Amino acid sequence: MASRYRVRRQRRGRKLRKQKETWLQRWGARLGKGLLSAATVASLTFLGFNAYRYFQHSGQLNVGEVKIMGCMNIVESELLDLAKVDFRSNLFNLDLQEVSSRLAQHPWVEKAKVHRDVSGKALIIEVRERVPGL
């Protein structure tokens, strides 16, 4: 019984001989890894570009509503006319600085801040009015 144990132990302990790679196998492996990396980068770029185009042109991120806060003396419809927000336009395509500067042209508006609320598909306008006599 002792001899069988030794034989099995010797078989497990043997190391496999490593075959020498030829230069063609080395360059083939490198070329394969390079092509796989390039294909991965190209497919991720393609998917990212298509996702960008989808969200730019789909109606899912269009302006759903405009919330105006801070109006006491101004009628909200006047501010909506000044803002000139198209409800078919994408939230990310709106120039918030331009909308803010248009709203600041109103004589009662001291400052207007405009933000996007992507979760509610809303454009939020915060208005600070001028105080008469100061």
Side-chain angles (χ1 to χ4, degrees), residues 90-105:
N90 195 317
L91 270 174
F92 292 110
N93 290 341
L94 287 175
D95 186 9
L96 301 182
Q97 292 291 331
E98 182 181 335
V99 173
S100 179
S101 64
R102 277 187 258 159
L103 290 171
Q105 293 174 353

Side-chain angles (χ1 to χ4, degrees), residues 70 74 79 100-101 103-113 126-132 134:
I74 307 170
L79 290 178
S100 179
S101 64
L103 290 171
Q105 293 174 353
H106 194 279
W108 276 101
V109 176
E110 182 179 337
K111 187 176 180 181
K113 288 173 70 176
E126 295 178 16
V127 178
R128 185 171 20 162
E129 294 182 346
R130 288 192 170 93
V131 179
L134 292 179

Side-chain angles (χ1 to χ4, degrees), residues 59-69 76 80 83 85-91 94 96 99 114-125:
Q60 291 184 358
L61 290 176
N62 286 354
V63 178
E65 64 177 317
V66 177
K67 297 178 184 177
I68 300 176
M69 297 186 283
E76 290 183 4
L80 283 175
V85 175
D86 185 17
F87 286 94
R88 292 174 291 171
S89 64
N90 195 317
L91 270 174
L94 287 175
L96 301 182
V99 173
V114 183
H115 343 249
R116 300 177 182 103
D117 179 20
V118 180
S119 63
K121 297 189 330 182
L123 190 67
I124 300 172
I125 300 173

Side-chain angles (χ1 to χ4, degrees), residues 8-70:
R8 287 183 186 160
R9 188 169 179 218
Q10 287 176 355
R11 286 183 186 163
R12 283 188 204 151
R14 286 187 194 163
K15 291 184 179 178
L16 295 175
R17 286 186 183 172
K18 196 174 188 182
Q19 290 181 339
K20 284 190 173 181
E21 292 180 335
T22 63
W23 67 271
L24 185 60
Q25 289 173 335
R26 275 194 311 263
W27 282 100
R30 288 180 183 169
L31 183 65
K33 288 178 186 177
L35 288 175
L36 184 63
S37 299
T40 303
V41 168
S43 63
L44 289 175
T45 304
F46 178 74
L47 288 173
F49 178 71
N50 281 334
Y52 170 78
R53 282 187 46 214
Y54 172 76
F55 284 115
Q56 287 292 319
H57 299 293
S58 74
Q60 291 184 358
L61 290 176
N62 286 354
V63 178
E65 64 177 317
V66 177
K67 297 178 184 177
I68 300 176
M69 297 186 283

